Amino acid sequence: MHIVTLRDPSAPVVARYAPSAGMIGISLTDSGVELLGQRGGLDAYLAAGKTMGIPILYPWANRLGERRYRVGGQEVTLEPDAFGVRTDPNGLPIHGLLAGYPRWRVMTESANELTAELDFGADSALLASFPFPHLLVVRVRLADRSLTVRSTVSALGKPVPLCFGFHPYLQVPEAPRAQWVIETPRLRHLFLDERGLPTGDVAEQPPIHEALGDKAFDDSYDEVPDGAVFAVCGGGRRIEVHFEQGYPAAQIFAPAGEDVVCFEPMAAPTDALRRGGYRCAQPGHPAVAVFSIRV
């Protein structure tokens, strides 16, 4: 497997990506200290879609409320044996179709930048579950202690719903999880039911600046402004996730008993592909979304 190593030209920060394993970020280190949760590792991701590092959740992030959705009058059913479809413990389709997907094409590769393309419309197995032909280009650049991920969706023939996201697993090895401090901007909290789906109830949430302690998060938010910053600090280290452009929704995930916290940039809230509330990439007008992780 071809692993791409990116090196910050001005700092001892190194990132590693595996394009042929679903264009997943598998490592981000600062002076040799690993800052991404490895969980089951790349093997478990390839074998069973068990997330680690920085996976792309595409074409939908988080879960769908059922195996059927409708876009512009077109109804789509996700068949039980459909390629790439994985389910959560409640049987709901989760995290899209591209976990471990091998057919990414590396377009450019340099000391600190990687660009890869996926022709979604060229794969009938993908189109069976998301029948919207398009090109997806992901460019990753490491500079000035920031890993910047820019995604561009170019529609080929008809609008493409934008409901994807990324799932960066962050860790701060210098301090125990209970001492990590998390920071968020002011957000709108979306209440979830027991299956992790929005109920329709919302509440304004003031900025958070608090120790993680023994708290667990699996919480959804929307109305995230461009430029919003989420952070985790501990042991003299600070890691920020900047929602720079095109990610108006977020999920905060910090499971109990696991030393990771995730600030997930999402192009639309959970289950938006069924409920609506997403934007589309229009033919001739590529859609761009950008987030960065600053160490």
Side-chain angles (χ1 to χ4, degrees):
M1 181 181 298
H2 179 49
I3 303 297
V4 177
T5 299
L6 306 177
R7 301 183 186 277
D8 189 326
S10 61
V13 181
V14 178
R16 299 172 71 226
Y17 266 78
S20 62
M23 192 54 182
I24 184 173
I26 59 175
S27 176
L28 179 64
T29 61
D30 183 10
S31 298
V33 177
E34 181 60 66
L35 304 179
L36 297 183
Q38 298 299 300
R39 310 187 87 207
L42 186 57
D43 287 345
Y45 182 63
L46 290 171
K50 295 184 181 299
T51 47
M52 54 84 65
I54 312 173
I56 183 171
L57 314 179
Y58 197 96
W60 65 85
N62 215 293
R63 52 185 51 81
L64 299 181
E66 59 180 79
R67 288 180 170 272
R68 186 177 293 107
Y69 64 91
R70 179 182 293 273
V71 174
Q74 181 176 6
E75 185 166 294
V76 181
T77 299
L78 306 179
E79 300 298 337
D81 59 348
F83 176 84
V85 176
R86 292 182 169 88
T87 55
D88 70 4
N90 291 307
L92 301 179
I94 191 167
H95 293 343
L97 307 171
L98 298 184
Y101 186 77
R103 293 175 60 181
W104 288 83
R105 183 175 69 89
V106 173
M107 301 170 66
T108 63
E109 179 183 338
S110 68
N112 73 319
E113 188 169 305
L114 166 68
T115 305
E117 178 186 75
L118 172 58
D119 186 349
F120 203 97
D123 191 328
S124 59
L126 295 178
L127 288 176
S129 296
F130 191 71
F132 307 96
H134 64 279
L135 295 177
L136 170 62
V137 175
V138 175
R139 187 182 74 191
V140 184
R141 185 172 188 268
L142 183 60
D144 302 321
R145 305 191 70 85
S146 290
L147 181 72
T148 301
V149 181
R150 179 185 180 93
S151 302
T152 303
V153 177
S154 299
L156 302 175
K158 59 181 175 180
V160 179
L162 301 174
C163 298
F164 68 94
F166 287 82
H167 201 316
Y169 286 90
L170 306 179
Q171 62 180 14
V172 183
E174 293 88 348
R177 178 190 188 277
Q179 295 177 14
W180 297 358
V181 174
I182 61 172
E183 300 176 16
T184 77
R186 183 180 302 276
L187 298 167
R188 191 170 79 158
H189 192 190
L190 308 181
F191 289 93
L192 306 177
D193 65 17
E194 66 281 357
R195 297 178 299 162
L197 299 170
T199 65
D201 294 327
V202 301
E204 297 299 320
Q205 179 173 291
I208 294 175
H209 186 286
E210 62 183 32
L212 186 55
D214 60 358
K215 303 181 188 72
F217 284 85
D218 196 359
D219 294 61
S220 291
Y221 306 89
D222 69 357
E223 298 187 355
V224 182
D226 283 354
V229 178
F230 298 72
V232 57
C233 311
R237 184 182 299 281
R238 178 181 176 88
I239 308 173
E240 299 175 343
V241 181
H242 294 241
F243 287 44
E244 298 187 15
Q245 176 185 350
Y247 291 113
Q251 189 89 1
I252 299 178
F253 180 59
E258 192 171 348
D259 291 346
V260 293
V261 62
C262 309
F263 305 113
E264 306 171 35
M266 297 168 59
T270 295
D271 203 27
L273 192 55
R274 292 183 58 253
R275 300 166 184 248
Y278 52 78
R279 64 187 180 119
C280 288
Q282 301 291 339
H285 299 278
V288 175
V290 184
F291 79 96
S292 62
I293 301 174
R294 178 169 176 78
V295 178

